[in-house]
Amino acid sequence: MTDTLELSHWINGERVGGDRPAESTNPSDTREVVARTPDGTASDVDDAVAAAKAAFPSWSEASPEVRSDVLDKASNLLMERKEEVGRLLSREEGKTLPEGIGETARAARILKYFAGEALRLHGQNLASTRPGVEVQTYRQPVGVYGLITPWNFPIAIPAWKAAPALAFGNTVVLKPAGPTPATAEALVAILHEAGLPKGVLNMVIGRGGVGQAIVDHKDVAGVSFTGSQGVGAGVAAGAVKRQARVQLEMGGKNPLIVLDDADLERAVNIALDGSFFATGQRCTASSRLIVQDGIHDKFVALLAEKVAALRVGDALDPNTQMGPAVSEAQMETSYKYVDVARGEGARIVTGGERLKLDKPGWYVQPTLIADTVADMRINNEEVFGPVASTIRVKSYEEALEIANGVEFGLSAGIVTSSLKHARDFQRRAKAGMTMVNLPTAGVDYHVPFGGTKSSSYGAREQGFAAAEFFTTIKTSYSAG
Ligand code: UN1
């Protein structure tokens, strides 16, 4: 288990960059180096963009069947290797092996879905207001896209941005997240193995400077970013300054409402999944559990019992139910917010203490915090770790108001047996995605994904909506 990968950039169909000053480490055992990597520069980005630009004419003009076949083949290869790639993912990111394999399979399915979408790209044919004239709309590829992806879904998110970009005839420069380059590289390598022509998909490994160089590059027509709100704001400003397209997916402070009429066991399991699976490192994680008076105490007690029983450990250990945080910084953020909540007068029901296991890793005790109120920092700032807080409410209306009262609006859930409240919540929750009797996290890959308010900016990702961002519409008039 000590094999260290020696990674390179991918530029114009080749692995380039032999100097490897950077590395990614295993968060479950930080003595282990997963990969050594180059530390990309703006000049590497120039080379990658030049390759993508040169590859664009033939890729965009190829039959959609060519693009579909490559994505389909890559999907099959990735699915065949899901154990191996999933294991690499878990070693590098820290989610459990079933989560790592599950995410890899999801990436393979995303490639498969967009293999189909490549063939379904379509426009409309309308009657003109002028007799004898026809109006048609076409969706056309745009050019070079820059994709800046996060570490928490190190293969699914590169796949869900790259697959539609490629399917619709664009070319790509990808910058994977610093902590997880090896997992992203596995995807890029498989796409090349599947026959992707050189220069169509390039990858530059590096830090923020690489992302900035992509955002600022005059030949990058659009940038799709998933990450923190602070970085996202800079990405948007840079892209808008030169009229590039931009799409941002950022944080969440996702509410899960639990009403008195909910099935207790079910509500607790939904909260457990939404708040703690994948170590709480999902922008869709439930972090505010808004619980009605009548069920509140029973809910907190049973959830605390289940949270305390979660087995935290090495991501590859089959007994582990929750892996470590991805990095020391993420671990420290969780503990910082436990202190913040304590300082605000909240009660730590379980967890919150430093966790030392038999190996050096970024382990965090899953933490449940009760007796919080809506305006505390713990209920407004994203933690991005296995930390959830409960807020006691009297009624559905109060719960909805609190659910909607933050600056984020990604995913919002409710657990109830009342159709009336469920339907009302679907209409009035200020979020891009609503979940009834389901965890706020864990979405399908063939339907639109995105949020409102500070969670997202620009066109939706995924499903039929992906064509919005990765194509441009041409309106054509003709008279006979
Ligand atoms: C999910 O909940 O299944 O970074 C996906 C994130 C999101 C993806 C969540 N963009 O957590």
Side-chain angles (χ1 to χ4, degrees), residues 256 258-273 295 298-306 415-416 437 439:
L256 180 73
V258 178
L259 294 185
D260 283 347
D261 60 21
D263 177 273
L264 176 66
E265 187 82 24
R266 189 175 187 192
V268 166
N269 287 333
I270 288 171
L272 192 71
D273 175 331
I295 196 171
K298 283 179 285 184
F299 175 86
V300 171
L302 187 57
L303 181 58
E305 203 179 287
K306 295 204 181 205
V415 190
T416 179
N437 296 325

Side-chain angles (χ1 to χ4, degrees), residues 106 150 152-153 157 160 226 281-284 384 441-443 449:
R106 171 173 173 170
N152 67 328
F153 283 91
I157 293 183
W160 95 16
T226 297
Q281 297 179 139
R282 296 186 281 189
C283 55
T284 45
F384 221 70
V443 300
F449 177 96

Side-chain angles (χ1 to χ4, degrees), residues 74-370:
S75 168
N76 293 340
L77 289 171
L78 189 56
M79 197 59 104
E80 276 163 25
R81 295 179 204 161
K82 68 175 197 269
E83 269 86 18
E84 179 196 329
V85 177
R87 193 177 177 83
L88 173 65
L89 192 167
S90 294
R91 264 177 80 208
E92 198 176 45
E93 198 270 353
K95 60 180 71 173
T96 65
L97 190 55
E99 287 170 339
I101 295 172
E103 184 188 327
T104 306
R106 171 173 173 170
R109 292 185 197 286
I110 289 169
L111 297 176
K112 183 79 74 185
Y113 172 79
F114 283 106
E117 286 298 274
L119 299 167
R120 279 188 289 268
L121 192 65
H122 60 272
Q124 291 181 330
N125 199 332
L126 298 92
S128 166
T129 53
R130 287 165 283 173
V133 173
E134 273 197 23
V135 191
Q136 285 166 315
T137 65
Y138 298 86
R139 285 196 174 272
Q140 297 190 313
V142 177
V144 179
Y145 276 87
L147 311 180
I148 302 174
T149 57
W151 47 261
N152 67 328
F153 283 91
I155 197 159
I157 293 183
W160 95 16
K161 293 186 192 295
L166 300 174
F168 302 141
N170 305 286
T171 57
V172 167
V173 176
L174 166 70
K175 181 212 168 287
T180 53
T183 314
E185 203 271 346
L187 174 72
V188 174
I190 281 177
L191 277 154
H192 282 92
E193 192 181 331
L196 200 67
K198 66 183 178 120
V200 169
L201 170 61
N202 306 275
M203 180 177 84
V204 181
I205 301 172
R207 288 175 286 178
V210 168
Q212 194 64 49
I214 290 174
V215 170
D216 291 340
H217 202 294
K218 65 175 179 28
D219 291 330
V220 172
V223 179
S224 179
F225 166 88
T226 297
S228 71
Q229 211 191 345
V231 177
V235 168
V240 167
K241 199 159 66 192
R242 55 181 192 83
Q243 292 95 48
R245 297 172 158 228
V246 63
Q247 169 184 65
L248 310 175
E249 292 297 342
M250 298 168 291
K253 194 69 200 173
N254 309 295
L256 180 73
I257 296 175
V258 178
L259 294 185
D260 283 347
D261 60 21
D263 177 273
L264 176 66
E265 187 82 24
R266 189 175 187 192
V268 166
N269 287 333
I270 288 171
L272 192 71
D273 175 331
S275 303
F276 299 100
F277 288 10
T279 319
Q281 297 179 139
R282 296 186 281 189
C283 55
T284 45
S286 318
S287 51
R288 297 180 296 141
L289 308 173
I290 305 169
V291 191
Q292 206 176 354
D293 241 350
I295 196 171
H296 178 276
D297 293 355
K298 283 179 285 184
F299 175 86
V300 171
L302 187 57
L303 181 58
E305 203 179 287
K306 295 204 181 205
V307 171
L310 281 175
R311 292 186 300 275
V312 180
D314 189 314
L316 297 182
D317 181 338
N319 285 317
T320 294
Q321 291 174 302
M322 197 186 96
V326 74
S327 64
E328 183 173 19
Q330 286 304 129
M331 178 186 78
E332 290 302 337
T333 304
S334 285
Y335 287 124
K336 181 188 100 181
Y337 275 102
V338 172
D339 286 344
V340 165
R342 228 187 241 117
E344 290 178 307
R347 174 167 62 97
I348 313 302
V349 188
T350 183
E353 300 298 328
R354 298 260 162 188
L355 188 56
K356 287 276 165 277
L357 300 185
D358 60 352
K359 54 181 77 170
W362 310 127
Y363 297 102
V364 180
Q365 265 193 346
T367 303
L368 183 65
I369 304 174

